[in-house]
Amino acid sequence: MSIKRLTKKTEFYVAIILIAFCLLVQVRSGQFFTPNNIVDLLRSLTIPMMFAVGEMMVLISGGVDCSFPAIASLSMYFVTTKMDGMFSSPIPYFLVAMLLGLCMGAVNGFIVAKYRFPAMIVTLGASSLWIGVMQGILGSSEYPLTSALYRLGEAKILTGTNAQTGFSSNLPVHFGFAVVLVLIGWFILNKTMLGRGIYAIGGDEVAAARAGFNVFGTRMFIFCFSGAMAGFIGVCRASMMMTVNPNNMIGMEMDVIAACVLGGVSLVGGKGSVLGAVLGTALMTLVANSLILLGIPTVWSRVFTGLIIIIGTGVSAVQEKQRKNTLHVAVSEE
Amino acid sequence: MSENIIKVTQVKKYFGGVKALDGVDLVIKKGEVHCLAGENGCGKSTIINVISGFYTPDSGTIEIDGKEYSKLTTQQAIEAGVQVIYQDLSVFPNLTVRENLAITMEKSSERKFISRKRYDEIAKQALSTIDFQIDLDEYVENLTVADKQLIAISRALLYDAKLIIMDEPTTAITQKEVKNLFEVIRRLQKKGISVLFVSHKLDEVFEIADHFTIFRSGHNVYSGPTKELTQALFTHYMTGRDIEEEPFEYNEKDGAKTVLEVKNLSLKDGFKDCSFSIREGEILGITGLLGSGRTELAETIFGVHKADSGQIFLNGQEVHFNNVRDAMAAGIGYVPPERNVMGLFMDQSISDNISVTRWDDCRKGIMMDQSEIDTLVDHWVGELSIKIGNASDTMRTLSGGNAQKCVLAKWLALDLKVLILNGPTVGVDIGAKYDIYNLTKKLADRGLAVIIISDDIREVLLNCNRVLIMRRGHLVDEKQTKGLDEETLSRLSVEY
Ligand SMILES: Nc1ncnc2c1ncn2[C@@H]1O[C@H](COP(=O)(O)OP(=O)(O)OP(=O)(O)O)[C@@H](O)[C@H]1O
Ligand SMILES: [Mg+2]
């Protein structure tokens, strides 16, 4: 890829800002490139990054999913409270949660794909519905984590220790899951006809149907995939936190969507990359977690994230406008 | 084995109350170039979408190569060897040229995984069929309509098709490319492949077609070989009336004011040092190849771009437009060539689209005066004989040509000093063309200064009293149309 084309990509700018920010924090605090800080960041990145992969697929297809935190919470809360202690392996918990998530995603997908209702409205509605179901039927209090998942939460890939301060942090295995999920997302979107179909549908649904793509099936797949992933991520979250809290994922949808958009995923569909979504999420996480190192109180973190989103999306809007206004006439010299 | 590649019998397709197809037949023989003609909105694109499996007909049967399909899907149609270049092109704006060319092919050969190498091979092969050069890594949204059209064409020609349907494939491309396309069509014909060709350009269809089918309002009115048809007869079948075009006579009145004057206008990557003026009641043509800067010049006068240097005078006063609103307020109207991108709100109602420029005038206090809007819309729908179902339907439901008439109506509803028409009759049927020409002449008679930008040489000669020729960003020549013949003008516009 030529340099000129590279500099037209949002991913490129997000990566530059990301690096600049890291350097800034390092220069100001000297604490950025320390093993425990890096591990902490990767740890906080784990859950949002996984959500971002599912969300970006929905966004690329021209939809939006606001219900994944609700799906994640409900599936997670169901398996951890109703199946508490039933299995000694964590796998059944994940499978059941994914199945529940898939079913809830399928409901979204069916309504959106079949009746062509706006995805935003459908998933917002679904979100209230699932949270209501959870709180009404299952309750909404904290609950001790079942032992199989607790043990998984203790498993770690590595430990980062700061030689000076002696502080150390563990990188949980869940980060490994996130990496695998990102790779799966990348593979589907770039290497399979299904993934290219998602881009095609997001670009022009009619053209996609005429080319023989199954628009209904593809939309169903996307919402089912996003739902199943939400179930999986919900259980990951609980086992990472080592406690069952049904409410602490609620509201994450806005941050995840914002992170995707920041990374160049288009809200009207058709555009975006896994790399962009990951970079966008990384930038948001980084800002939220590193302000303290810059001496800025954490209460300001939302202000900063807000600013980044506004500036980031503003820049892409301006770029888009400029692109549309460029002229190409070869004027001869006479 | 059948001698017909396609046989459509008594197909009906209604959209709500609109009878787009009301029991039509269409038979195409193998190895035949078949022209489907008819006025805007007579159902040409609809039958094409039925044959390609995109629309399910309400009744009737479709037979492809002797096999009858009860419920044809797009995938089945492609497998049966039907390829379509759709009127709206159906390319993917968000994908690269390479992928646009390759993806449909890969999809229909039921590939599950993507190979960059195969993509590359397919794309190169596609471009070579019509000898078209373009950067494979460019995103299609950044291309001109002409390039998009060429992509749609080369993509369809890739297939081992038995029938290639082309729904107005030549609206944006230049003569040279049309010639290439026609060569390909003749080559296909020799191989026994059939082509269904739709175009409102008479010279094109008479050059290429062996057989004609003509529709009017969703019914068959004629079917027969080309040699039995004259242009006059053809027009008659199509429109149900006889049309005789008369050249525009400019009545040079003494003291007719100069309305618009442009002096040494330049814009980087657009045009350079352009000067011209136009008086009340004149119709000025600007012709030149695509990419000669003619659209950029018009857009600059209309306030879309800001000129780097030079001056624009309106009624003797120098004007500086910062944006389109300023230009409109000063009395300049512009009908763009890409109507579905710049000229219309496709998902808003027809009524809103036509009346939008007049909303300020259609008010009762702070409320919209709906009855005045309705009167306005009815007036223009009637005046331009726009074929619509209901004025509250969305723009998307209109046929290509009727959408073009709506853009015109929108501007004509304004009280203008200068009206710039860029490609005003692209995709418009001959009857409607005639109506549009008459209307512009009438407007010019009332004192409006009209600029027609067009590469249709005939159109320029018949409707303008003066013509400017633009080449590579410069206005290189100016001619009175009286006494000028088509050949001379066409040579002037392509020279070099
Ligand atoms: N999706 C739709 N919904 C409602 N009405 C439609 C739809 N598509 C087409 N129509 C109507 O059906 C009629 C036939 O349209 P069609 O597009 O087939 O015309 P056409 O012959 O291709 O015209 P043109 O030469 O302008 O392209 C028109 O009156 C149009 O308004
Ligand atoms: Mg049409």
Side-chain angles (χ1 to χ4, degrees):
Chain A
M1 195 183 296
S2 66
I3 297 291
K4 195 166 151 233
R5 203 156 256 137
L6 187 69
T7 60
K8 278 188 190 156
K9 297 218 168 238
T10 319
E11 290 88 339
F12 177 73
Y13 292 101
V14 179
I16 288 184
I17 296 170
L18 195 67
I19 294 168
F21 194 84
C22 296
L23 294 176
L24 176 75
V25 177
Q26 172 67 17
V27 169
R28 289 291 300 268
S29 70
Q31 295 294 312
F32 187 84
F33 292 109
T34 53
N36 69 322
N37 186 50
I38 300 282
V39 166
D40 270 341
L41 282 174
L42 293 180
R43 192 187 155 89
S44 341
L45 187 59
T46 306
I47 298 291
M49 185 162 91
M50 290 198 273
F51 275 138
V53 173
E55 183 66 47
M56 72 163 302
M57 281 201 192
V58 183
L59 286 172
I60 289 174
S61 76
V64 64
D65 184 357
C66 303
S67 66
F68 59 85
I71 295 181
S73 304
L74 176 53
S75 337
M76 176 276 286
Y77 202 59
F78 180 86
V79 296
T80 48
T81 56
K82 296 289 158 204
M83 293 162 59
D84 188 10
M86 271 162 72
F87 303 98
S88 58
S89 152
I91 294 173
Y93 294 99
F94 279 105
L95 288 182
V96 174
M98 284 171 75
L99 190 69
L100 284 172
L102 188 136
C103 294
M104 290 185 260
V107 173
N108 283 338
F110 188 77
I111 299 175
V112 172
K114 179 91 184 171
Y115 301 105
R116 296 168 178 274
F117 287 163
M120 165 105 77
I121 311 286
V122 173
T123 54
L124 277 175
S127 181
S128 304
L129 179 70
W130 304 132
I131 292 173
V133 166
M134 179 176 74
Q135 294 174 342
I137 300 174
L138 303 173
S140 62
S141 45
E142 279 208 36
Y143 193 87
L145 185 63
T146 189
S147 57
L149 292 171
Y150 196 91
R151 264 178 275 120
L152 182 74
E154 286 174 330
K156 60 183 187 228
I157 301 174
L158 53 85
T159 305
T161 312
N162 189 330
Q164 285 168 348
T165 60
F167 288 138
S168 70
S169 301
N170 294 333
L171 187 63
V173 285
H174 307 82
F175 183 75
F177 300 163
V179 172
V180 172
L181 190 58
V182 166
L183 292 178
I184 292 176
W186 178 86
F187 182 81
I188 293 180
L189 281 175
N190 294 292
K191 291 289 156 196
T192 68
M193 209 29 127
L194 175 69
R196 301 320 291 171
I198 296 176
Y199 279 94
I201 289 170
D204 188 334
E205 187 180 323
V206 170
R210 283 170 173 166
F213 284 100
N214 181 344
V215 177
F216 176 80
T218 311
R219 282 202 197 290
M220 278 305 278
F221 166 80
I222 298 163
F223 278 99
C224 291
F225 181 83
S226 170
M229 281 306 110
F232 177 83
I233 300 165
V235 177
C236 279
R237 169 88 172 189
S239 89
M240 259 174 87
M241 309 281 285
M242 298 191 182
T243 176
V244 178
N245 182 329
N247 297 319
N248 70 5
M249 280 183 283
I250 299 188
M252 273 181 86
E253 65 272 16
M254 282 308 144
D255 283 347
V256 169
I257 293 172
C260 289
V261 173
L262 193 60
V265 182
S266 162
L267 276 178
V268 290
K271 277 182 227 170
S273 67
V274 174
L275 178 67
V278 169
L279 286 173
T281 314
L283 185 57
M284 298 254 300
T285 312
L286 189 67
V287 171
N289 287 281
S290 300
L291 287 178
I292 195 96
L293 291 180
L294 286 175
I296 302 170
T298 18
V299 288
W300 287 97
S301 86
R302 292 209 68 87
V303 172
F304 275 83
T305 359
L307 280 179
I308 288 201
I309 294 168
I310 293 170
I311 296 169
T313 46
V315 168
S316 19
V318 170
Q319 270 185 338
E320 179 81 351
K321 202 168 162 200
Q322 276 174 351
R323 182 181 66 71
K324 286 206 172 122
N325 269 335
T326 26
L327 304 172
H328 305 282
V329 178
V331 179
S332 68
E333 293 302 327
E334 274 174 40
Chain B
M1 269 295 167
S2 149
E3 63 163 336
N4 300 326
I5 181 67
I6 204 126
K7 186 162 179 233
V8 172
T9 322
Q10 284 304 307
V11 160
K12 287 189 183 169
K13 178 78 190 170
Y14 296 175
F15 295 103
V18 180
K19 299 180 175 178
L21 297 175
D22 203 10
V24 294
D25 301 329
L26 178 66
V27 178
I28 304 174
K29 292 206 177 63
K30 287 188 176 152
E32 174 178 83
V33 179
H34 195 112
C35 169
L36 178 60
E39 291 182 295
N40 295 129
C42 71
K44 301 183 297 293
S45 299
T46 308
I47 189 88
I48 288 169
N49 277 297
V50 166
I51 297 174
S52 75
F54 185 67
Y55 287 162
T56 314
D58 299 338
S59 69
T61 59
I62 306 159
E63 227 175 75
I64 305 178
D65 207 359
K67 183 164 182 260
E68 191 175 318
Y69 291 83
S70 52
K71 200 179 172 305
L72 185 70
T73 64
T74 45
Q75 192 76 44
Q76 279 175 332
I78 293 171
E79 273 163 27
V82 177
Q83 269 306 306
V84 186
I85 301 164
Y86 289 96
Q87 190 169 13
D88 59 12
L89 304 181
S90 271
V91 289
F92 301 102
N94 58 326
L95 303 181
T96 59
V97 172
R98 173 185 295 104
E99 187 154 23
N100 264 280
L101 290 168
I103 194 167
T104 43
M105 183 81 187
E106 290 287 84
K107 174 72 198 165
S108 59
S109 40
E110 294 188 20
R111 299 264 184 212
K112 294 279 177 275
F113 297 100
I114 305 300
S115 141
R116 163 93 186 195
K117 198 169 138 251
R118 261 199 328 266
Y119 260 35
D120 236 26
E121 282 164 8
I122 296 174
K124 293 213 172 96
Q125 191 196 337
L127 293 184
S128 69
T129 47
I130 55 165
D131 193 18
F132 167 42
Q133 268 139 18
I134 192 157
D135 179 4
L136 287 179
D137 286 311
E138 187 58 85
Y139 285 90
V140 165
E141 64 189 351
N142 298 338
L143 302 180
T144 60
V145 190
D147 284 340
K148 286 182 198 161
Q149 206 156 43
L150 290 169
I151 286 174
I153 293 173
S154 29
R155 182 176 71 181
L157 296 178
L158 257 183
Y159 284 81
D160 226 358
K162 296 189 185 128
L163 169 67
I164 301 183
I165 303 178
M166 307 185 179
D167 196 353
E168 302 194 36
T170 60
T171 46
I173 61 182
T174 64
Q175 288 172 5
K176 180 177 141 256
E177 289 150 346
V178 174
K179 241 179 83 191
N180 281 349
L181 176 64
F182 280 11
E183 263 164 37
V184 175
I185 292 181
R186 293 201 182 93
R187 229 168 37 226
L188 292 173
Q189 197 178 7
K190 285 207 190 87
K191 286 199 276 179
I193 297 166
S194 318
V195 174
L196 178 64
F197 195 83
V198 176
S199 167
H200 289 291
K201 297 185 185 169
L202 280 194
D203 41 348
E204 275 180 13
V205 290
F206 274 95
E207 180 184 340
I208 196 79
D210 307 319
H211 198 98
F212 274 80
T213 295
I214 303 176
F215 285 179
R216 197 189 306 152
S217 311
H219 294 274
N220 288 80
V221 289
Y222 177 84
S223 183
T226 308
K227 48 182 186 297
E228 285 174 17
L229 207 60
T230 61
Q231 292 212 357
L233 209 55
F234 172 79
T235 314
H236 181 80
Y237 279 127
M238 223 168 122
T239 61
R241 55 183 171 159
D242 293 305
I243 285 176
E244 192 140 355
E245 288 171 334
E246 278 166 34
F248 173 58
E249 287 283 342
Y250 173 50
N251 305 319
E252 191 156 2
K253 294 191 194 91
D254 286 336
K257 280 187 300 178
T258 298
V259 185
L260 177 78
E261 181 165 18
V262 171
K263 273 192 188 158
N264 305 101
L265 211 61
S266 296
L267 177 69
K268 191 172 174 290
D269 293 331
F271 48 85
K272 205 168 171 197
D273 228 1
C274 289
S275 304
F276 70 91
S277 67
I278 176 168
R279 295 203 281 171
E280 278 177 340
E282 268 198 297
I283 304 183
L284 175 70
I286 301 182
T287 186
L289 295 178
L290 228 83
S292 60
R294 45 184 211 193
T295 296
E296 289 73 11
L297 178 61
E299 285 179 350
T300 308
I301 296 172
F302 188 54
V304 177
H305 312 290
K306 252 187 110 105
D308 300 326
S309 64
Q311 296 160 297
I312 302 174
F313 297 90
L314 202 62
N315 285 335
Q317 297 268 317
E318 184 167 3
V319 286
H320 297 279
F321 300 141
N322 286 318
N323 50 42
V324 173
R325 283 181 79 93
D326 290 355
M328 275 168 65
I332 296 183
Y334 176 62
V335 177
E338 284 180 51
R339 51 185 170 259
N340 47 1
V341 188
M342 304 203 279
L344 293 169
F345 305 101
M346 294 307 280
D347 291 313
Q348 302 295 325
S349 75
I350 298 166
S351 162
D352 285 354
N353 268 288
I354 294 179
S355 60
V356 61
T357 51
R358 285 287 300 278
W359 281 353
D360 276 349
D361 308 323
C362 299
R363 280 193 309 202
K364 256 194 214 143
I366 56 163
M367 307 283 280
M368 301 273 273
D369 184 349
Q370 195 56 46
S371 71
E372 196 175 332
I373 292 182
D374 290 345
T375 323
L376 178 90
V377 171
D378 283 348
H379 170 78
W380 287 107
V381 167
E383 176 110 23
L384 295 179
S385 40
I386 308 178
K387 188 163 182 285
I388 63 172
N390 197 318
S392 59
D393 291 345
T394 66
M395 209 64 212
R396 214 172 275 290
T397 64
L398 288 193
S399 76
N402 281 306
Q404 176 69 334
K405 290 189 191 172
C406 288
V407 189
L408 269 178
K410 169 174 127 180
W411 288 106
L412 295 178
L414 273 179
D415 187 21
L416 295 173
K417 299 194 180 74
V418 181
L419 176 63
I420 309 174
L421 305 170
N422 195 348
T425 59
V426 170
V428 174
D429 70 56
I430 32 177
K433 264 185 198 163
Y434 179 70
D435 295 339
I436 291 173
Y437 294 154
N438 278 349
L439 198 76
T440 39
K441 286 174 192 165
K442 210 156 76 191
L443 290 167
D445 262 350
R446 286 188 216 146
L448 186 73
V450 183
I451 300 177
I452 296 182
I453 301 175
S454 171
D455 32 30
D456 186 340
I457 299 292
R458 225 176 108 73
E459 169 167 297
V460 171
L461 282 180
L462 276 174
N463 295 287
C464 306
N465 58 304
R466 217 154 37 97
V467 55
L468 302 173
I469 295 145
M470 199 153 183
R471 213 184 287 142
R472 292 203 266 161
H474 296 266
L475 284 174
V476 290
D477 210 344
E478 179 183 331
K479 288 262 183 292
Q480 298 289 330
T481 49
K482 205 171 234 167
L484 197 64
D485 59 61
E486 283 188 36
E487 222 166 298
T488 321
L489 184 56
S490 119
R491 208 180 52 230
L492 278 174
S493 64
V494 296
E495 219 159 315
Y496 287 89

